[in-house]
Amino acid sequence: MSLTAKGLATRARIVEGAADYLRGTDDGEITLDDVRALTGTSKGQLFHYFPDGKDELLLAVVRLEADRVLDDQQPYLGDLTTWASWERWRDAVVARYRAQGTRCPLNALMGQVGGVPGAADVARTLVGRWQGHLADGIRAMQATGDVRADLSPERTAAALVAGIQGGVLLLRTTGETAHLEAALDVLLDHLRAS
Amino acid sequence: MSLTAKGLATRARIVEGAADYLRGTDDGEITLDDVRALTGTSKGQLFHYFPDGKDELLLAVVRLEADRVLDDQQPYLGDLTTWASWERWRDAVVARYRAQGTRCPLNALMGQVGGVPGAADVARTLVGRWQGHLADGIRAMQATGDVRADLSPERTAAALVAGIQGGVLLLRTTGETAHLEAALDVLLDHLRAS
DNA sequence: ATGAAAATGGACTCTCAAGTCCAGAACTGC
DNA sequence: GCAGTTCTGGACTTGAGAGTCCATTTTCAT
């Protein structure tokens, strides 16, 4: 099955339509009929472009959203070499999730659509890259003497990722960004104070 | 509908059976037929004890597990007055979740069975109490001069809760306790260094 | 003991949603 | 323009699982 330009467009429309819908839902549930209605397509098309059915479609959505996660934190995430950059990154993260309210595409997808085979791998890759960027930033700050040298970049970066994930999870259940901000601020304080 | 001793026992058997099953599953899915098979009951009984059906049953499970979360951290969580106690608490948390492997009753329930009405309230209460215990511990340490007085107990406690939640979430997707331990250790370092 | 209330078993219905199938339309390359 | 391929539409099948219903059994209170 090779795809023509028209086919590619339709396929993309399906994935993006599903992603949009999932971004606006709390429970992370979606049916193929929802997708059909949303994207003006038919069952035949759905299974034409995603022969393995719903799982394959959802995996495509997960990949799309996973890419967005890091993109939304750029350009700061890729250049955490000054405190100002760290601050802007922190604000970007909070803003991104605050805008999303109680919904979170990825967190929701991993949790509720966690049954999708392959989704865990996407998540692992994402976490690894995220943590890598943060660790790079910490190392950069250590190089300039802004952060104590005896602090483990990887471990601290891991704590940051965990704090953000937990903060978002709590945002989803409480509707408040308090935990997310607390986690970010306390950990940034830790970097500064060191 | 009042319950006799026998009825109460059956009801409890149903809830605990469902909880046990959910604790041993990755996706957090369960059907009423699963519950039936697991607990040796009939459809009639299920709806006799839980007239509102599956949601009511799952809410009972959520409440049961929520209680366990804090219980498992005792007696340390209630008496965080020395560094030794903090250490033991930290170890208890890691041990608890390591034992659970990639499954986590509450985290899974909140995520996947998040659609259960009322579950969010249970989660909020749990988080509040958890954070309260931690904040109390931090205040106690401040009183003895072990922790700097200008550190916000609530905010630091919030960061801890977020870090744990995120750590557990990542444990569920990666199978490693690395993030959980990193979050706990870095934040405890922060308390100590202050 | 006996009538009422509670407990139990299981067959049945109903709905929802995934996935199948195939016929016809549109496009592609030559 | 024509043969092959891709794209589209929608009716249909299938399965799972929640919830209903009622007959039967057990327990409780007096």
Side-chain angles (χ1 to χ4, degrees), chain A residues 15-193:
Chain A
V15 176
E16 276 156 26
D20 283 350
Y21 178 87
L22 281 166
R23 217 173 303 125
T25 193
D26 279 334
D27 54 5
E29 305 280 340
I30 194 172
T31 70
L32 292 186
D33 280 329
D34 291 334
V35 178
R36 248 188 357 85
L38 248 46
T39 60
T41 48
S42 64
K43 267 297 182 52
Q45 285 167 291
L46 260 36
F47 283 86
H48 180 68
Y49 295 108
F50 305 94
D52 288 342
K54 198 183 178 185
D55 280 351
E56 190 181 353
L57 166 56
L58 287 179
L59 186 55
V61 173
V62 168
R63 279 198 242 265
L64 180 71
E65 291 297 332
D67 286 340
R68 272 193 238 228
V69 170
L70 294 188
D71 287 348
D72 285 353
Q73 299 174 41
Q74 298 297 0
Y76 315 118
L77 183 60
D79 184 50
L80 296 170
T81 54
T82 64
W83 288 126
S85 192
W86 279 91
E87 278 303 324
R88 281 195 297 266
W89 166 73
R90 177 256 184 232
D91 290 341
V93 170
V94 173
R96 181 228 160 95
Y97 288 110
R98 171 170 291 151
Q100 226 124 49
T102 58
R103 15 260 195 172
C104 166
L106 232 221
N107 211 311
L109 282 172
M110 297 320 302
Q112 280 118 56
V113 192
V116 180
D121 288 322
V122 177
R124 269 190 286 273
T125 303
L126 170 63
V127 168
R129 285 202 290 166
W130 198 342
Q131 186 173 328
H133 281 297
L134 293 172
D136 285 346
I138 294 172
R139 274 188 285 267
M141 298 298 277
Q142 286 176 326
T144 61
D146 286 305
V147 168
R148 257 180 37 201
D150 65 345
L151 201 127
S152 163
E154 286 299 339
R155 206 182 58 148
T156 312
L160 268 168
V161 174
I164 295 168
Q165 290 302 308
V168 173
L169 187 67
L170 289 168
L171 164 60
R172 280 183 52 223
T173 66
T174 66
E176 312 262 335
T177 55
H179 285 89
L180 175 60
E181 298 194 57
L184 282 166
D185 291 339
V186 169
L187 287 167
L188 288 188
D189 278 352
H190 185 61
L191 282 181
R192 282 213 191 77

Side-chain angles (χ1 to χ4, degrees), chain B residues 125-194:
Chain B
T125 303
L126 170 63
V127 168
R129 285 203 290 164
W130 198 342
Q131 187 174 326
H133 281 299
L134 293 173
D136 285 346
I138 294 172
R139 274 188 285 266
M141 299 297 279
Q142 286 177 326
T144 61
D146 285 306
V147 168
R148 256 180 39 202
D150 65 344
L151 201 126
S152 163
E154 286 299 337
R155 205 182 60 148
T156 313
L160 268 167
V161 173
I164 295 168
Q165 290 302 305
V168 172
L169 187 68
L170 290 167
L171 163 61
R172 279 183 53 220
T173 66
T174 66
E176 313 260 336
T177 54
H179 285 88
L180 175 59
E181 297 194 56
L184 281 166
D185 291 340
V186 170
L187 288 167
L188 288 187
D189 278 353
H190 185 60
L191 282 181
R192 281 213 192 76
S194 73

Side-chain angles (χ1 to χ4, degrees), chain B residues 34 49 65 89 98 105 110 119-120 124 165:
Chain B
D34 291 334
Y49 295 108
E65 292 298 332
W89 166 73
R98 173 171 288 149
M110 295 322 302
R124 268 190 288 273
Q165 290 302 305

